[in-house]
Amino acid sequence: MGVVAVTDPSGGSDVAGMQTSARLEGDRYILNGRKCFITNAHLSDAWVVIAKTGEGRKGYRPSSWRKGFKGAVWAAGDKVGLRGANTGELIFQDCEVPKENLVGE
């Protein structure tokens, strides 16, 4: 199962307010930040994560990858109500993502 991670705790689904960042270092991106309200995060093996690269209006890059990247962890989400839809968080701390994992240009 795969998930798409867009929502930051600080900006909701407002992509312009996103704080999760990815900076290019050689042949990889270094990803830092958090994504929340990820439906079925606990069941997913494949993630598509949107992060801000700082490259202006087009500076949001999706990357795809599988669980197990160093610096990436899954955490159970806690919310009031809607417990029938399991959600969680993805937390990235100096997570290295190969450049070839970018989706599109």
Side-chain angles (χ1 to χ4, degrees):
M1 178 179 290
V3 299
V4 176
V6 177
T7 306
D8 274 22
S10 61
S13 295
D14 174 16
V15 178
M18 182 180 299
Q19 291 184 358
T20 299
S21 65
R23 72 180 185 280
L24 186 59
E25 285 190 6
D27 62 349
R28 65 188 190 271
Y29 280 90
I30 306 300
L31 187 64
N32 283 290
R34 293 172 61 184
K35 297 296 183 180
C36 62
F37 304 123
I38 310 301
T39 304
N40 291 324
H42 65 297
L43 299 174
S44 65
D45 289 320
W47 304 341
V48 173
V49 179
I50 309 294
K52 188 182 237 181
T53 61
E55 299 168 5
R57 292 178 58 207
K58 295 183 179 181
Y60 300 94
R61 299 282 192 254
S63 59
S64 67
W65 38 300
R66 298 218 172 258
K67 263 187 194 175
F69 274 74
K70 182 180 175 185
V73 296
W74 171 102
D78 189 24
K79 58 188 177 180
V80 177
L82 296 173
R83 299 215 184 263
N86 291 319
T87 62
E89 291 186 38
L90 302 177
I91 303 165
F92 309 101
Q93 186 172 18
D94 295 328
C95 178
E96 297 182 10
V97 180
K99 190 175 179 180
E100 61 264 16
N101 285 36
L102 287 182
V103 177
E105 295 183 18

